[in-house]
Amino acid sequence: MRPAPVPTPTPLPTLPSSSWLPRLPPRRLSAALLTTVAALVAVLAVGLAHPSPAAAHDVTSTAYVEVEGTGARVEATLDLEYDLLMKSAWLYAEAYEAKDRAEQLHQLHTHAGAVTEYVTGRFAVTHDGKVCTPRRAGDADIRTRGNRPFAVLTLAYACAGGPDGTYTISSALFPDTESFVHSAETIVHYDMDGQRGSQVLSAAEPTLETGGHHESHQIVEFFLLGTEHLLFGLDHILFLLSLLIGARGLRDIVLAATAFTVAHSVTFLLAATGVVNVPGSVVEPVIAASIAVVALANVALREREGAGRWRLPVVFLFGLVHGLGFAGALGIDENPSWELLLSLLSFNAGIEAVQLGIIAVVFPLLVLLRRTPAHRWALPAMAAPIVIVSLYWFWGRVADAV
């Protein structure tokens, strides 16, 4: 009687595309990879120590300003984070802690003088070197950006001089010296005497001048703004890490990253130009949920044959939602134009540059990790804090929206 054949052990998953990686001694390889895993887990777990990004007050803030004018008449509409504005105007806690929209409008009306004095003292327009005189135009309003209330103020400026000339716009809103936030920026979109453009004003460069050709400057500024948004947007980074954890090879991650890029670029452009409008109270919870769904699916389905088929449609679907989040962060609210398109494309290019940088650093480490027995427990260990943090954010954002 012949002995029963010994079953051949199932080989560990391999990545043919990893042949370009260095061959390290097993001990050094395991030590380096385990250290990397521990560091990633520690960094991701830090998210639990902070409230949901959609609910918490960032350490920085962005003001959004639309300026239009012809000759001596200029009008500026400013969107300023409500609680930060009320704190900066040195008002009482009952003003900046107001949560209900009706109460916020009441506080803005009651303290209109103090609020106007603060804003006009830190946002200025000049025409041919002469300071334009500001006055409050109409009542303040409240609008929501993401999940945060922004006060909407309209200022009318009377400028001296003839119908032609050069305007300068300056912003010193929410400076570091107030100690409420740091590195605040003001995104200005202007249409004045036929000159249109966009610029990011900061403490290092607080003034813009209309006229001339500023395309190269505009490209650089919005490119850097895009890189900053992704670098400091932990939710988008966690989503990207979730994709990397589930990737089995270079082709896999290229397809997933391409699907994500195409999807978020489409909705980003549509939302930023006003074609699509979805409230942040819907977008932000879905973004948090998307992180948990992708991370959980990668762990639960990683050993199943054909499990990768779900990735592209799911990644594309969630990429559409992330694009809405990117558009909300840029805060553009104007008619389509060449200047607007240039700003949008530059901002999106900055996002893609950081995304590619993260892939270039993290993906080779994960490929090395898959070549060791440790990958069976290390990948789930990396996914666990991602899921916990994203679910924590999800419930926090839902609670804020209710």
Side-chain angles (χ1 to χ4, degrees), residues 3 13 26 51 57 62 70 72 136 138 184 206 242 258 278 299 319 372 374 390:
H57 201 310
T62 302
T70 302
R136 184 77 166 268
S242 297
T258 301
V278 181
V299 173
T372 70
S390 58

Side-chain angles (χ1 to χ4, degrees), residues 230 240 257-258 260-261 264 350-360:
L230 193 61
L240 183 58
T258 301
F260 181 62
T261 297
H264 78 64
I351 291 173
E352 301 312 321
V354 175
Q355 180 174 291
L356 291 174
I358 293 173
I359 292 173

